[in-house]
Amino acid sequence: MTAQKTGPADTGTRSGGKLRALISGSIGNLLEQYDNLVYAYSTVYLSAAFFSGGGSLSSLLSTFAVFAVGFLARPVGTVVFGHIGDKVGRRPALLMSVLLMGSATVLIGLLPGYHTIGVAAPILLVLLRLFQGFAVAGEWAGSAAMLVEFATSRTRGRYGSLNQVSTAAGFLVAAAVVALNSLFWTEDGMQSFGWRVPFLIGAVTALVALLLRLGLEDTPAFQQQQDAGATSGSPLKLAFHTQKASMARGFFFTVSWTVAYFFFLTYLPTHLRKEVGLSSGVVEASNIVGLIVLTAAIFFFGVLSDRIGRKPLLLIGSGGFVVLSFPVMWLFSTGSVAGAYLGQILIALVLAAFSGPGPAALAELFPTNVRYSALGIGYNFSVMAFGGTAGFIATALIDATGNALVVAALPTAAAVITFVTVCLMPETYRSELK
């Protein structure tokens, strides 16, 4: 297969322009993480609304379990969207995924609770989370492929980092919306209707993403494959036949990444309120500060990876969680306001060192004709196995041991796996896309 020397000035940008391609390629990740974080931040209200036990531990565990259930649909979504993305194009797959994601989020916001429709409420909530998980499976891999394929060999880290900039921005927007929304409601008001507002606001992001993607052409790399008749009739089968080793690398590469995101950015706020006893105001403010640092630092590390390579930064990021997870959780456990801010900033910097070069490093492992499918398999199966379960496992560990610090074992163990994987990966930052 010949190398492709395509860049953002090629045919893929003729109609929409480079800026539109970059925004439309990344905005779906903002919606994806907005959906996840709004759910995670609303667990206390969701447990009371959809489970008969109200705010009890069993109801909270049930709510985290439903959050994890959404990830079970990712394998199906990976197969469906990977096939569309590699055979028909990145654009139609990404159009479909963002439309389905937005619809599911709005429907959760409109769903009647347990006291209105009984056991049907948690059942429907599970179904909508599965629907979300199916749609989300097509978003991350498609976005990473699209952004990297619009770049040159010297800008792939920068362009790919926008995948994670928008991901962090999704967390940031969700945190800000939840914090602002809580100011307008009493506790009773939040429980009766207020928690629904952030879910309904998700419709705006979905609509913007859909409109941006409607007028966009496909990537130069995919168009060249299509014009040359090189697209596969069965990209998934071809991926398993030719890319098994790279998909395995992608799976283990993602373990620490996904555990860090879903442990520190979705479970941690609940932990700081429930286990540490920090006020909601301190938790929300420190989290927003951390997310601002994360969003800015990701792009910096993406640009840096185009200069010094992906591996040094990936090793710093994964190694950082091996070294710092227990000390940071101890810092949080002191209940200090300053400790909460410092801990959030440390997490942000370590996570950014990995997230900046991460999308480009993964996308560079695979050839264009199966990139969407192969990238999605490695990434989404790892997220399914390790991401959505972080909050549930952490809550269960604390309940079983009575020790809040024990949860730091999760990101530490995950980081060891990824650190070893990165050590064994090739450096790809100056290579041409296959």
Side-chain angles (χ1 to χ4, degrees):
M1 186 177 296
T2 57
Q4 295 170 8
K5 299 182 179 181
T6 55
D10 292 301
T11 58
T13 57
R14 286 179 303 193
S15 64
K18 180 169 64 175
L19 181 61
R20 181 171 187 163
L22 298 180
I23 295 173
S24 65
S26 57
I27 194 170
N29 291 299
L30 188 152
L31 176 62
E32 173 190 343
Q33 300 309 333
Y34 176 89
D35 294 348
N36 280 326
L37 200 62
V38 163
Y39 185 101
Y41 277 11
S42 305
T43 49
V44 173
Y45 301 110
L46 289 166
S47 65
F50 293 103
F51 297 93
S52 60
S56 67
L57 176 63
S58 62
S59 293
L60 190 61
L61 283 170
S62 297
T63 309
F64 277 124
V66 173
F67 179 74
V69 160
F71 292 80
L72 297 179
R74 289 203 175 206
V76 179
T78 298
V79 170
V80 173
F81 286 102
H83 180 82
I84 296 171
D86 284 328
K87 185 175 176 61
V88 183
R90 293 14 176 168
R91 176 180 169 273
L94 289 170
L95 276 172
M96 186 184 304
S97 69
V98 78
L99 179 61
L100 294 178
M101 276 195 302
S103 300
T105 302
V106 172
L107 287 173
I108 289 176
L110 297 173
L111 186 61
Y114 184 91
H115 297 294
T116 303
I117 60 175
V119 72
I123 291 174
L124 289 172
L125 181 62
V126 168
L127 290 175
L128 286 173
R129 281 294 298 164
L130 288 169
F131 192 63
Q132 268 187 331
F134 171 80
V136 163
E139 184 59 41
W140 196 96
S143 168
M146 172 173 276
L147 290 167
V148 168
E149 288 173 4
F150 269 112
T152 66
S153 61
R154 293 182 177 272
T155 59
R156 288 199 300 260
R158 179 182 312 177
Y159 281 28
S161 73
L162 295 177
N163 170 286
Q164 289 297 286
V165 169
S166 61
T167 295
F171 279 92
L172 179 59
V173 171
V177 168
V178 169
L180 290 172
N181 183 57
S182 66
L183 299 176
F184 292 93
W185 301 89
T186 63
E187 187 63 24
D188 288 341
M190 280 293 294
Q191 191 60 70
S192 63
F193 183 80
W195 67 266
R196 299 177 181 274
V197 174
F199 287 92
L200 301 177
I201 289 174
V204 177
T205 303
L207 181 61
V208 171
L210 188 64
L211 292 175
L212 280 170
R213 289 176 178 179
L214 281 172
L216 185 69
E217 291 185 14
D218 228 307
T219 70
F222 179 81
Q223 287 187 29
Q224 285 192 2
Q225 290 274 324
Q226 197 172 45
D227 292 344
T231 53
S232 172
S234 181
L236 184 66
K237 182 178 179 181
L238 182 61
F240 273 105
H241 182 66
T242 62
Q243 302 298 316
K244 286 192 288 291
S246 292
M247 289 191 293
R249 288 193 191 99
F251 179 91
F252 293 113
F253 179 95
T254 307
V255 172
S256 177
W257 203 0
T258 190
V259 169
Y261 258 109
F262 287 101
F263 180 86
F264 286 116
L265 300 187
T266 62
Y267 164 76
L268 184 61
T270 299
H271 179 88
L272 293 178
R273 292 187 188 96
K274 187 173 181 294
E275 304 298 335
V276 179
L278 287 171
S279 69
S280 293
V282 170
V283 172
E284 290 165 357
S286 63
N287 191 47
I288 288 173
V289 168
L291 288 169
I292 291 171
V293 173
L294 176 63
T295 304
I298 285 172
F299 185 72
F300 168 79
F301 285 117
V303 173
L304 186 60
S305 77
D306 284 327
R307 294 178 178 272
I308 69 171
R310 320 286 186 225
K311 286 186 69 170
L313 298 175
L314 295 170
L315 291 171
I316 289 171
S318 54
F321 282 118
V322 174
V323 174
L324 292 176
S325 291
F326 273 99
V328 165
M329 291 307 294
W330 174 84
L331 186 62
F332 286 133
S333 73
T334 66
S336 162
V337 173
Y341 281 92
L342 178 59
Q344 294 277 17
I345 291 170
L346 285 173
I347 289 166
L349 291 174
V350 175
L351 186 53
F354 196 94
S355 298
L362 267 185
E364 288 164 349
L365 291 176
F366 307 107
T368 298
N369 61 345
V370 296
R371 182 170 292 119
Y372 205 133
S373 297
L375 181 57
I377 289 165
Y379 178 83
N380 282 314
F381 275 72
S382 189
V383 172
M384 178 194 70
F386 300 104
T389 57
F392 180 85
I393 293 173
T395 304
L397 277 174
I398 293 174
D399 183 51
T401 65
N403 184 352
L405 280 180
V406 73
V407 297
L410 291 175
T412 301
V416 170
I417 293 170
T418 296
F419 183 85
V420 173
T421 302
V422 173
C423 287
L424 299 174
M425 285 174 57
E427 177 61 82
T428 56
Y429 81 114
R430 287 291 171 87
S431 62
E432 295 292 344
L433 288 182
K434 293 180 281 184

